[in-house]
């Protein structure tokens, strides 16, 4: 039920009406009897700044931020957390002592799911990251922070790939990082222990294969950030080859649970949130 004093949380994106985050967060509020609701907002033009002002003043209690605003929202934030600075983007907003705080829980979501759920250990391991957008920033930050031995990045957009490499080089990570071209994707997928898809490729039936079918073996860990469909072509081939595979559903649930606990200072009902996402 919505009452006069119901707190409002939002997810800001465009388009965002397809987002499953409202299902996950509203189920969490309901299960803990918290008088709050979570709704999608699709800002245009100056709306993003206005929404940030409403969060700063407490009219909106907090928000998630998704494509395409994770980076552009940074200019309206008063304080960036260390995590958001390390990743270089914001996915969680809230107000503290009149200041708008920008945080990022994507990296923690990725880390928990990769290390705990998929059972990957970074020691002396190498990875290939496909895509260099917002999600890849969180993924590479966490892999470098965990002292992965080496990683290579490929994006069809050279500029984005170079920007990501430049961002990573601002931190003194021990991980050896380099960019590769499309012709090297199969070679490095073969050599790497971990393959991570940080592109939207795999959501549509007509999407191409990111890595040739015969490259993946049972020695690989393959993580696809895409979660609809649950088994992309990449994961289907990897599973068939006996590789250890995971889609992006756990990361989504963990990052949502982490935002929830920042806003409400309570233990998030993770299993309920994940079940709601799966059902949605
Ligand atoms: P993004 O900022 O648009 O970045 C995606 C990057 O991949 C773009 O630079 C894109 O280039 C590039 N790309 C497209 N096709 C490619 C290909 N065949 N090979 C190499 N690079 C290619 O998007 P994002 O925010 O990083 O999100 C990426 C995906 O991860 C989305 O599907 C998103 O839903 C998912 N995601 C999942 C979670 C989760 O919790 N599971 C969290 C965040 C994101 P162009 O721009 O030139 O196309």
């Amino acid at each position: 039920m919505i009452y006069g004093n119901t707190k409002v949380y939002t997810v800001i994106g465009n388009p965002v009406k397809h987002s499953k985050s409202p299902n996950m967060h509203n189920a969490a509020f309901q299960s803990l009897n918290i008088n709050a609701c979570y709704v999608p907002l699709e800002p245009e033009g100056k709306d993003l700044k206005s929404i940030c002002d409403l969060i700063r003043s407490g009219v909106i209690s907090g928000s998630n931020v998704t494509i395409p605003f994770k980076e552009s929202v940074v200019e309206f934030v008063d304080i960036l957390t260390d995590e958001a600075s390390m990743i270089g983007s914001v996915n969680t907003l809230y107000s503290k002592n009149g200041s708008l705080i920008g945080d990022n829980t994507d990296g923690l979501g990725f880390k928990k799911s990769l290390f705990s759920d998929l059972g990957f250990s970074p020691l002396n391991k190498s990875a290939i990251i496909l895509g260099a957008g917002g999600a890849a920033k969180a993924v590479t930050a966490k892999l470098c922070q965990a002292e992965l031995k080496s990683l290579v990045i490929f994006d069809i957009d050279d500029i984005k790939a170079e920007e990501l490499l430049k961002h990573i080089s601002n931190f003194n990570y021990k991980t050896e990082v380099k960019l590769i071209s499309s012709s090297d994707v199969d070679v490095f997928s073969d050599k790497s222990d971990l393959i991570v898809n940080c592109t939207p490729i795999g959501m549509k039936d007509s999407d191409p294969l990111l890595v040739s079918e015969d490259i993946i073996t049972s020695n690989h860990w393959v993580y696809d950030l895409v979660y609809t469909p649950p088994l992309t072509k990449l994961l289907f081939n990897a599973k068939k080859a006996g590789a250890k595979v995971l889609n992006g559903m756990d990361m989504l649930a963990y990052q949502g649970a982490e935002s929830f606990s920042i806003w409400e200072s309570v233990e998030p009902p993770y299993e309920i949130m994940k079940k709601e996402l799966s059902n949605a």
Side-chain angles (χ1 to χ4, degrees):
M1 282 288 286
I2 307 281
Y3 304 97
N5 60 352
T6 300
K7 287 187 285 184
V8 177
Y9 289 93
T10 63
V11 52
I12 310 167
N14 203 342
V16 78
K17 292 202 175 96
H18 64 283
S19 170
K20 307 291 179 245
S21 290
N23 306 50
M24 168 169 69
H25 285 285
N26 285 318
F29 290 136
Q30 209 176 355
S31 78
L32 297 181
N33 280 321
I34 295 173
N35 181 14
C37 67
Y38 182 107
V39 291
L41 295 178
E42 286 186 353
E44 281 176 20
K46 291 181 181 158
D47 297 349
L48 181 61
K49 181 184 179 307
S50 307
I51 296 169
C52 287
D53 291 340
L54 291 174
I55 301 169
R56 184 184 291 103
S57 66
V59 173
I60 295 174
S61 299
S63 188
N64 282 130
V65 184
T66 187
I67 302 172
F69 301 119
K70 284 184 177 181
E71 280 140 359
S72 54
V73 80
V74 170
E75 70 168 299
F76 305 120
V77 164
D78 303 318
I79 300 172
L80 267 188
T81 62
D82 289 347
E83 184 75 6
S85 304
M86 182 182 71
I87 291 171
S89 68
V90 163
N91 84 332
T92 303
L93 294 167
Y94 58 99
S95 180
K96 194 172 174 186
N97 304 325
S99 293
L100 182 64
I101 316 290
D103 203 345
N104 195 314
T105 63
D106 280 337
L108 281 174
F110 173 71
K111 184 177 153 186
K112 268 194 182 175
S113 53
L114 177 72
F115 298 156
S116 308
D117 299 348
L118 192 58
F120 179 79
S121 154
L123 195 71
N124 285 321
K125 298 278 193 348
S126 57
I128 174 167
I129 311 299
L130 302 165
K137 279 180 154 180
V139 163
T140 51
K142 286 295 151 189
L143 289 174
C144 290
Q145 203 184 32
E147 300 195 349
L148 191 85
K149 191 163 177 253
S150 62
L151 68 83
V152 296
I153 301 164
F154 167 65
D155 194 298
I156 43 169
D157 182 337
D158 291 345
I159 295 171
K160 273 205 191 152
E162 273 154 26
E163 277 171 5
L164 177 56
L165 185 65
K166 193 168 163 229
H167 177 75
I168 295 170
S169 63
N170 289 327
F171 302 85
N172 282 328
Y173 296 126
K174 287 185 183 158
T175 308
E176 190 188 308
V177 184
K178 69 174 185 179
L179 304 183
I180 59 165
S181 60
S182 63
S183 57
D184 285 335
V185 167
D186 276 351
V187 176
F188 278 93
S189 296
D190 184 22
K191 282 194 217 171
S192 300
D193 300 292
L194 172 69
I195 301 170
V196 188
N197 176 29
C198 298
T199 79
I201 302 295
M203 297 180 78
K204 290 184 263 159
D205 273 353
S206 55
D207 279 345
L209 258 183
L210 285 163
V211 177
S212 299
E213 203 175 335
D214 53 343
I215 297 290
I216 302 175
T217 71
S218 59
N219 294 328
H220 282 101
W221 282 262
V222 182
Y223 192 126
D224 200 329
L225 264 66
V226 172
Y227 45 88
T228 42
L231 206 59
T232 57
K233 278 185 202 166
L234 175 71
L235 290 189
F236 178 83
N237 286 338
K239 203 171 170 187
K240 203 167 70 177
K244 293 152 280 285
V245 302
L246 193 66
N247 69 23
M249 187 70 85
D250 294 46
M251 173 174 171
L252 185 67
Y254 281 129
Q255 64 77 30
E258 201 61 37
S259 297
F260 188 94
S261 87
I262 290 170
W263 296 325
E264 287 291 331
S265 305
V266 292
E267 188 66 31
Y270 175 74
E271 289 306 328
I272 288 174
M273 296 174 86
K274 190 172 167 201
K275 188 168 162 229
E276 199 60 32
L277 271 182
S278 312
N279 292 344

